[in-house]
PDB file of all heavy atoms in Angstrom:
ATOM      1  N   ASP A   1      -1.936  -5.360  11.779  1.00 95.00           N
ATOM      2  CA  ASP A   1      -0.722  -5.784  11.082  1.00 95.00           C
ATOM      3  C   ASP A   1       0.111  -4.669  10.577  1.00 95.00           C
ATOM      4  O   ASP A   1       1.249  -4.788  10.224  1.00 95.00           O
ATOM      5  CB  ASP A   1      -1.156  -6.695   9.842  1.00 95.00           C
ATOM      6  CG  ASP A   1      -1.949  -7.938  10.303  1.00 95.00           C
ATOM      7  OD1 ASP A   1      -1.741  -8.434  11.328  1.00 95.00           O
ATOM      8  OD2 ASP A   1      -2.733  -8.382   9.404  1.00 95.00           O
ATOM      9  N   VAL A   2      -0.439  -3.423  10.575  1.00 96.00           N
ATOM     10  CA  VAL A   2       0.223  -2.352   9.840  1.00 96.00           C
ATOM     11  C   VAL A   2       1.527  -1.979  10.537  1.00 96.00           C
ATOM     12  O   VAL A   2       2.474  -1.691   9.836  1.00 96.00           O
ATOM     13  CB  VAL A   2      -0.797  -1.053   9.799  1.00 96.00           C
ATOM     14  CG1 VAL A   2      -0.061   0.035   9.134  1.00 96.00           C
ATOM     15  CG2 VAL A   2      -1.982  -1.493   8.916  1.00 96.00           C
ATOM     16  N   GLU A   3       1.526  -1.740  11.813  1.00 96.00           N
ATOM     17  CA  GLU A   3       2.731  -1.230  12.473  1.00 96.00           C
ATOM     18  C   GLU A   3       3.904  -2.158  12.255  1.00 96.00           C
ATOM     19  O   GLU A   3       5.022  -1.718  11.922  1.00 96.00           O
ATOM     20  CB  GLU A   3       2.500  -1.003  13.878  1.00 96.00           C
ATOM     21  CG  GLU A   3       3.684  -0.371  14.687  1.00 96.00           C
ATOM     22  CD  GLU A   3       3.401   0.120  16.062  1.00 96.00           C
ATOM     23  OE1 GLU A   3       2.145   0.014  16.409  1.00 96.00           O
ATOM     24  OE2 GLU A   3       4.270   0.672  16.735  1.00 96.00           O
ATOM     25  N   MET A   4       3.759  -3.490  12.404  1.00 95.00           N
ATOM     26  CA  MET A   4       4.809  -4.507  12.157  1.00 95.00           C
ATOM     27  C   MET A   4       5.311  -4.304  10.764  1.00 95.00           C
ATOM     28  O   MET A   4       6.484  -4.420  10.399  1.00 95.00           O
ATOM     29  CB  MET A   4       4.352  -5.785  12.441  1.00 95.00           C
ATOM     30  CG  MET A   4       5.455  -6.921  12.270  1.00 95.00           C
ATOM     31  SD  MET A   4       4.896  -8.589  12.681  1.00 95.00           S
ATOM     32  CE  MET A   4       3.722  -8.859  11.370  1.00 95.00           C
ATOM     33  N   ALA A   5       4.296  -4.255   9.729  1.00 96.00           N
ATOM     34  CA  ALA A   5       4.729  -4.172   8.350  1.00 96.00           C
ATOM     35  C   ALA A   5       5.518  -2.922   8.121  1.00 96.00           C
ATOM     36  O   ALA A   5       6.539  -2.926   7.353  1.00 96.00           O
ATOM     37  CB  ALA A   5       3.438  -4.230   7.460  1.00 96.00           C
ATOM     38  N   TRP A   6       4.973  -1.786   8.654  1.00 96.00           N
ATOM     39  CA  TRP A   6       5.687  -0.557   8.468  1.00 96.00           C
ATOM     40  C   TRP A   6       7.116  -0.515   8.908  1.00 96.00           C
ATOM     41  O   TRP A   6       8.063  -0.048   8.259  1.00 96.00           O
ATOM     42  CB  TRP A   6       4.941   0.631   9.220  1.00 96.00           C
ATOM     43  CG  TRP A   6       5.467   1.920   9.033  1.00 96.00           C
ATOM     44  CD1 TRP A   6       6.508   2.531   9.692  1.00 96.00           C
ATOM     45  CD2 TRP A   6       4.932   2.947   8.162  1.00 96.00           C
ATOM     46  NE1 TRP A   6       6.702   3.854   9.219  1.00 96.00           N
ATOM     47  CE2 TRP A   6       5.754   4.113   8.323  1.00 96.00           C
ATOM     48  CE3 TRP A   6       4.018   2.973   7.144  1.00 96.00           C
ATOM     49  CZ2 TRP A   6       5.638   5.266   7.604  1.00 96.00           C
ATOM     50  CZ3 TRP A   6       3.769   4.132   6.418  1.00 96.00           C
ATOM     51  CH2 TRP A   6       4.593   5.243   6.651  1.00 96.00           C
ATOM     52  N   ASN A   7       7.258  -1.072  10.122  1.00 95.00           N
ATOM     53  CA  ASN A   7       8.690  -1.221  10.762  1.00 95.00           C
ATOM     54  C   ASN A   7       9.573  -2.133   9.952  1.00 95.00           C
ATOM     55  O   ASN A   7      10.762  -1.834   9.829  1.00 95.00           O
ATOM     56  CB  ASN A   7       8.597  -1.722  12.187  1.00 95.00           C
ATOM     57  CG  ASN A   7       7.964  -0.711  13.102  1.00 95.00           C
ATOM     58  OD1 ASN A   7       8.007   0.560  12.830  1.00 95.00           O
ATOM     59  ND2 ASN A   7       7.288  -1.151  14.155  1.00 95.00           N
ATOM     60  N   LYS A   8       9.051  -3.166   9.284  1.00 94.00           N
ATOM     61  CA  LYS A   8       9.809  -4.030   8.501  1.00 94.00           C
ATOM     62  C   LYS A   8      10.312  -3.395   7.162  1.00 94.00           C
ATOM     63  O   LYS A   8      11.413  -3.607   6.796  1.00 94.00           O
ATOM     64  CB  LYS A   8       9.051  -5.338   8.174  1.00 94.00           C
ATOM     65  CG  LYS A   8       9.044  -6.366   9.261  1.00 94.00           C
ATOM     66  CD  LYS A   8       8.383  -7.605   8.853  1.00 94.00           C
ATOM     67  CE  LYS A   8       8.421  -8.671   9.976  1.00 94.00           C
ATOM     68  NZ  LYS A   8       7.867  -9.987   9.535  1.00 94.00           N
ATOM     69  N   LEU A   9       9.396  -2.601   6.609  1.00 94.00           N
ATOM     70  CA  LEU A   9       9.790  -1.907   5.377  1.00 94.00           C
ATOM     71  C   LEU A   9      10.749  -0.800   5.567  1.00 94.00           C
ATOM     72  O   LEU A   9      11.567  -0.507   4.738  1.00 94.00           O
ATOM     73  CB  LEU A   9       8.465  -1.346   4.669  1.00 94.00           C
ATOM     74  CG  LEU A   9       7.547  -2.450   4.189  1.00 94.00           C
ATOM     75  CD1 LEU A   9       6.232  -1.788   3.696  1.00 94.00           C
ATOM     76  CD2 LEU A   9       8.326  -3.227   3.038  1.00 94.00           C
ATOM     77  N   ARG A  10      10.760  -0.188   6.759  1.00 86.00           N
ATOM     78  CA  ARG A  10      11.611   0.961   7.160  1.00 86.00           C
ATOM     79  C   ARG A  10      11.992   1.850   5.946  1.00 86.00           C
ATOM     80  O   ARG A  10      13.099   1.993   5.533  1.00 86.00           O
ATOM     81  CB  ARG A  10      12.918   0.271   7.683  1.00 86.00           C
ATOM     82  CG  ARG A  10      12.775  -0.376   8.987  1.00 86.00           C
ATOM     83  CD  ARG A  10      14.068  -0.724   9.589  1.00 86.00           C
ATOM     84  NE  ARG A  10      14.713  -1.898   9.024  1.00 86.00           N
ATOM     85  CZ  ARG A  10      15.825  -2.504   9.455  1.00 86.00           C
ATOM     86  NH1 ARG A  10      16.479  -2.024  10.483  1.00 86.00           N
ATOM     87  NH2 ARG A  10      16.253  -3.575   8.827  1.00 86.00           N
ATOM     88  N   ASN A  11      10.877   2.555   5.529  1.00 82.00           N
ATOM     89  CA  ASN A  11      11.025   3.524   4.500  1.00 82.00           C
ATOM     90  C   ASN A  11      10.334   4.822   4.869  1.00 82.00           C
ATOM     91  O   ASN A  11       9.384   4.730   5.611  1.00 82.00           O
ATOM     92  CB  ASN A  11      10.491   2.972   3.131  1.00 82.00           C
ATOM     93  CG  ASN A  11      11.154   3.628   1.997  1.00 82.00           C
ATOM     94  OD1 ASN A  11      12.352   3.508   1.838  1.00 82.00           O
ATOM     95  ND2 ASN A  11      10.360   4.153   1.074  1.00 82.00           N
ATOM     96  N   GLN A  12      10.787   5.943   4.372  1.00 85.00           N
ATOM     97  CA  GLN A  12      10.148   7.237   4.726  1.00 85.00           C
ATOM     98  C   GLN A  12       8.740   7.331   4.185  1.00 85.00           C
ATOM     99  O   GLN A  12       7.829   7.965   4.697  1.00 85.00           O
ATOM    100  CB  GLN A  12      11.021   8.366   4.249  1.00 85.00           C
ATOM    101  CG  GLN A  12      12.250   8.576   5.107  1.00 85.00           C
ATOM    102  CD  GLN A  12      13.115   9.765   4.562  1.00 85.00           C
ATOM    103  OE1 GLN A  12      12.877  10.338   3.498  1.00 85.00           O
ATOM    104  NE2 GLN A  12      13.985  10.197   5.470  1.00 85.00           N
ATOM    105  N   ARG A  13       8.511   6.785   2.903  1.00 93.00           N
ATOM    106  CA  ARG A  13       7.254   6.742   2.399  1.00 93.00           C
ATOM    107  C   ARG A  13       6.791   5.299   1.965  1.00 93.00           C
ATOM    108  O   ARG A  13       7.704   4.565   1.413  1.00 93.00           O
ATOM    109  CB  ARG A  13       7.139   7.770   1.211  1.00 93.00           C
ATOM    110  CG  ARG A  13       7.140   9.169   1.682  1.00 93.00           C
ATOM    111  CD  ARG A  13       6.924  10.080   0.437  1.00 93.00           C
ATOM    112  NE  ARG A  13       8.116  10.182  -0.279  1.00 93.00           N
ATOM    113  CZ  ARG A  13       8.271  10.991  -1.417  1.00 93.00           C
ATOM    114  NH1 ARG A  13       7.168  11.624  -1.900  1.00 93.00           N
ATOM    115  NH2 ARG A  13       9.401  11.057  -2.101  1.00 93.00           N
ATOM    116  N   ILE A  14       5.565   5.041   2.009  1.00 96.00           N
ATOM    117  CA  ILE A  14       5.081   3.710   1.668  1.00 96.00           C
ATOM    118  C   ILE A  14       3.892   3.913   0.745  1.00 96.00           C
ATOM    119  O   ILE A  14       3.137   4.885   0.853  1.00 96.00           O
ATOM    120  CB  ILE A  14       4.616   2.913   2.874  1.00 96.00           C
ATOM    121  CG1 ILE A  14       5.746   2.761   3.928  1.00 96.00           C
ATOM    122  CG2 ILE A  14       4.004   1.581   2.513  1.00 96.00           C
ATOM    123  CD1 ILE A  14       6.858   1.878   3.403  1.00 96.00           C
ATOM    124  N   ILE A  15       3.721   3.026  -0.259  1.00 95.00           N
ATOM    125  CA  ILE A  15       2.519   2.973  -1.086  1.00 95.00           C
ATOM    126  C   ILE A  15       1.563   1.857  -0.490  1.00 95.00           C
ATOM    127  O   ILE A  15       1.960   0.781  -0.308  1.00 95.00           O
ATOM    128  CB  ILE A  15       2.904   2.690  -2.547  1.00 95.00           C
ATOM    129  CG1 ILE A  15       3.945   3.609  -3.057  1.00 95.00           C
ATOM    130  CG2 ILE A  15       1.608   2.776  -3.435  1.00 95.00           C
ATOM    131  CD1 ILE A  15       4.290   3.277  -4.492  1.00 95.00           C
ATOM    132  N   ALA A  16       0.434   2.364  -0.145  1.00 96.00           N
ATOM    133  CA  ALA A  16      -0.677   1.431   0.291  1.00 96.00           C
ATOM    134  C   ALA A  16      -1.599   1.155  -0.912  1.00 96.00           C
ATOM    135  O   ALA A  16      -2.127   2.096  -1.505  1.00 96.00           O
ATOM    136  CB  ALA A  16      -1.434   1.968   1.464  1.00 96.00           C
ATOM    137  N   LYS A  17      -1.812  -0.093  -1.266  1.00 95.00           N
ATOM    138  CA  LYS A  17      -2.565  -0.482  -2.371  1.00 95.00           C
ATOM    139  C   LYS A  17      -3.635  -1.498  -1.976  1.00 95.00           C
ATOM    140  O   LYS A  17      -3.364  -2.571  -1.510  1.00 95.00           O
ATOM    141  CB  LYS A  17      -1.780  -1.133  -3.448  1.00 95.00           C
ATOM    142  CG  LYS A  17      -0.542  -0.289  -3.949  1.00 95.00           C
ATOM    143  CD  LYS A  17       0.234  -1.062  -5.054  1.00 95.00           C
ATOM    144  CE  LYS A  17       1.354  -0.262  -5.557  1.00 95.00           C
ATOM    145  NZ  LYS A  17       2.126  -1.082  -6.602  1.00 95.00           N
ATOM    146  N   ALA A  18      -4.913  -1.036  -2.179  1.00 94.00           N
ATOM    147  CA  ALA A  18      -6.078  -2.002  -1.953  1.00 94.00           C
ATOM    148  C   ALA A  18      -5.876  -3.122  -2.870  1.00 94.00           C
ATOM    149  O   ALA A  18      -5.706  -3.023  -4.129  1.00 94.00           O
ATOM    150  CB  ALA A  18      -7.359  -1.284  -2.199  1.00 94.00           C
ATOM    151  N   GLN A  19      -6.050  -4.321  -2.385  1.00 93.00           N
ATOM    152  CA  GLN A  19      -5.959  -5.612  -3.221  1.00 93.00           C
ATOM    153  C   GLN A  19      -7.332  -5.971  -3.748  1.00 93.00           C
ATOM    154  O   GLN A  19      -8.206  -6.428  -2.987  1.00 93.00           O
ATOM    155  CB  GLN A  19      -5.345  -6.687  -2.447  1.00 93.00           C
ATOM    156  CG  GLN A  19      -3.942  -6.396  -2.037  1.00 93.00           C
ATOM    157  CD  GLN A  19      -2.972  -6.150  -3.265  1.00 93.00           C
ATOM    158  OE1 GLN A  19      -2.564  -7.142  -3.880  1.00 93.00           O
ATOM    159  NE2 GLN A  19      -2.721  -4.999  -3.582  1.00 93.00           N
ATOM    160  N   SER A  20      -7.510  -5.697  -5.006  1.00 84.00           N
ATOM    161  CA  SER A  20      -8.847  -5.962  -5.631  1.00 84.00           C
ATOM    162  C   SER A  20      -8.567  -6.190  -7.105  1.00 84.00           C
ATOM    163  O   SER A  20      -7.642  -5.792  -7.673  1.00 84.00           O
ATOM    164  CB  SER A  20      -9.694  -4.678  -5.489  1.00 84.00           C
ATOM    165  OG  SER A  20     -10.933  -4.877  -6.281  1.00 84.00           O
ATOM    166  N   GLN A  21      -9.405  -7.063  -7.657  1.00 71.00           N
ATOM    167  CA  GLN A  21      -9.311  -7.354  -9.073  1.00 71.00           C
ATOM    168  C   GLN A  21      -9.881  -6.312 -10.041  1.00 71.00           C
ATOM    169  O   GLN A  21      -9.859  -6.475 -11.259  1.00 71.00           O
ATOM    170  CB  GLN A  21      -9.986  -8.719  -9.323  1.00 71.00           C
ATOM    171  CG  GLN A  21      -9.301  -9.861  -8.755  1.00 71.00           C
ATOM    172  CD  GLN A  21      -9.929 -11.214  -8.930  1.00 71.00           C
ATOM    173  OE1 GLN A  21     -11.109 -11.268  -9.118  1.00 71.00           O
ATOM    174  NE2 GLN A  21      -9.157 -12.277  -8.974  1.00 71.00           N
ATOM    175  N   ILE A  22     -10.475  -5.255  -9.481  1.00 68.00           N
ATOM    176  CA  ILE A  22     -10.909  -4.118 -10.299  1.00 68.00           C
ATOM    177  C   ILE A  22      -9.713  -3.420 -10.925  1.00 68.00           C
ATOM    178  O   ILE A  22      -8.627  -3.469 -10.337  1.00 68.00           O
ATOM    179  CB  ILE A  22     -11.783  -3.174  -9.515  1.00 68.00           C
ATOM    180  CG1 ILE A  22     -10.810  -2.373  -8.470  1.00 68.00           C
ATOM    181  CG2 ILE A  22     -12.929  -3.825  -8.800  1.00 68.00           C
ATOM    182  CD1 ILE A  22     -11.511  -1.163  -7.871  1.00 68.00           C
ATOM    183  N   GLU A  23      -9.935  -2.832 -12.046  1.00 64.00           N
ATOM    184  CA  GLU A  23      -8.920  -2.084 -12.779  1.00 64.00           C
ATOM    185  C   GLU A  23      -8.882  -0.663 -12.330  1.00 64.00           C
ATOM    186  O   GLU A  23      -9.832  -0.145 -11.793  1.00 64.00           O
ATOM    187  CB  GLU A  23      -9.174  -2.247 -14.269  1.00 64.00           C
ATOM    188  CG  GLU A  23      -9.117  -3.602 -14.872  1.00 64.00           C
ATOM    189  CD  GLU A  23      -9.312  -3.630 -16.284  1.00 64.00           C
ATOM    190  OE1 GLU A  23      -9.716  -2.592 -16.905  1.00 64.00           O
ATOM    191  OE2 GLU A  23      -9.155  -4.695 -16.895  1.00 64.00           O
ATOM    192  N   LYS A  24      -7.763  -0.036 -12.517  1.00 64.00           N
ATOM    193  CA  LYS A  24      -7.619   1.390 -12.211  1.00 64.00           C
ATOM    194  C   LYS A  24      -7.974   1.781 -10.790  1.00 64.00           C
ATOM    195  O   LYS A  24      -8.756   2.743 -10.471  1.00 64.00           O
ATOM    196  CB  LYS A  24      -8.516   2.227 -13.189  1.00 64.00           C
ATOM    197  CG  LYS A  24      -8.261   1.742 -14.608  1.00 64.00           C
ATOM    198  CD  LYS A  24      -9.327   2.445 -15.496  1.00 64.00           C
ATOM    199  CE  LYS A  24      -9.227   1.868 -16.903  1.00 64.00           C
ATOM    200  NZ  LYS A  24      -9.691   0.430 -16.925  1.00 64.00           N
ATOM    201  N   ARG A  25      -7.357   1.027  -9.857  1.00 67.00           N
ATOM    202  CA  ARG A  25      -7.628   1.269  -8.378  1.00 67.00           C
ATOM    203  C   ARG A  25      -7.350   2.776  -8.006  1.00 67.00           C
ATOM    204  O   ARG A  25      -8.055   3.256  -7.140  1.00 67.00           O
ATOM    205  CB  ARG A  25      -6.762   0.355  -7.480  1.00 67.00           C
ATOM    206  CG  ARG A  25      -7.256  -1.110  -7.580  1.00 67.00           C
ATOM    207  CD  ARG A  25      -6.207  -1.931  -6.893  1.00 67.00           C
ATOM    208  NE  ARG A  25      -4.992  -1.906  -7.643  1.00 67.00           N
ATOM    209  CZ  ARG A  25      -3.833  -2.315  -7.274  1.00 67.00           C
ATOM    210  NH1 ARG A  25      -3.655  -2.833  -6.033  1.00 67.00           N
ATOM    211  NH2 ARG A  25      -2.733  -2.285  -8.066  1.00 67.00           N
ATOM    212  N   ALA A  26      -6.356   3.313  -8.526  1.00 63.00           N
ATOM    213  CA  ALA A  26      -5.953   4.686  -8.156  1.00 63.00           C
ATOM    214  C   ALA A  26      -7.034   5.724  -8.420  1.00 63.00           C
ATOM    215  O   ALA A  26      -7.352   6.615  -7.631  1.00 63.00           O
ATOM    216  CB  ALA A  26      -4.653   5.154  -8.883  1.00 63.00           C
ATOM    217  N   ARG A  27      -7.823   5.435  -9.490  1.00 66.00           N
ATOM    218  CA  ARG A  27      -8.942   6.385  -9.843  1.00 66.00           C
ATOM    219  C   ARG A  27      -9.975   6.341  -8.785  1.00 66.00           C
ATOM    220  O   ARG A  27     -10.643   7.342  -8.498  1.00 66.00           O
ATOM    221  CB  ARG A  27      -9.475   6.007 -11.227  1.00 66.00           C
ATOM    222  CG  ARG A  27     -10.851   6.674 -11.537  1.00 66.00           C
ATOM    223  CD  ARG A  27     -11.379   6.207 -12.817  1.00 66.00           C
ATOM    224  NE  ARG A  27     -10.748   6.830 -13.964  1.00 66.00           N
ATOM    225  CZ  ARG A  27     -11.273   6.819 -15.162  1.00 66.00           C
ATOM    226  NH1 ARG A  27     -12.318   6.063 -15.436  1.00 66.00           N
ATOM    227  NH2 ARG A  27     -10.623   7.391 -16.149  1.00 66.00           N
ATOM    228  N   TRP A  28     -10.172   5.140  -8.231  1.00 71.00           N
ATOM    229  CA  TRP A  28     -11.266   5.017  -7.268  1.00 71.00           C
ATOM    230  C   TRP A  28     -10.824   5.164  -5.817  1.00 71.00           C
ATOM    231  O   TRP A  28     -11.512   4.723  -4.857  1.00 71.00           O
ATOM    232  CB  TRP A  28     -11.943   3.644  -7.481  1.00 71.00           C
ATOM    233  CG  TRP A  28     -12.366   3.408  -8.867  1.00 71.00           C
ATOM    234  CD1 TRP A  28     -11.816   2.553  -9.718  1.00 71.00           C
ATOM    235  CD2 TRP A  28     -13.355   4.049  -9.594  1.00 71.00           C
ATOM    236  NE1 TRP A  28     -12.453   2.586 -10.957  1.00 71.00           N
ATOM    237  CE2 TRP A  28     -13.475   3.588 -10.944  1.00 71.00           C
ATOM    238  CE3 TRP A  28     -14.332   5.130  -9.197  1.00 71.00           C
ATOM    239  CZ2 TRP A  28     -14.274   4.071 -11.811  1.00 71.00           C
ATOM    240  CZ3 TRP A  28     -15.133   5.618 -10.154  1.00 71.00           C
ATOM    241  CH2 TRP A  28     -15.147   5.008 -11.425  1.00 71.00           C
TER     242      TRP A  28
END
């Protein structure tokens, strides 16, 4: 699904975020 999503967003940089109910995902 990634390429289609990337092309739809059409931005030079994208933030990818794991979807999880844990807190402080960036730390992990």
Side-chain angles (χ1 to χ4, degrees):
D1 300 330
V2 174
E3 185 167 359
M4 181 179 68
W6 184 278
N7 291 334
K8 281 187 176 181
L9 291 173
R10 288 192 285 185
N11 206 56
Q12 290 184 342
R13 285 186 286 177
I14 300 294
I15 306 177
K17 302 178 178 179
Q19 295 299 279
S20 171
Q21 292 178 332
I22 66 166
E23 298 179 351
K24 312 169 189 69
R25 288 167 297 167
R27 167 183 284 189
W28 308 112

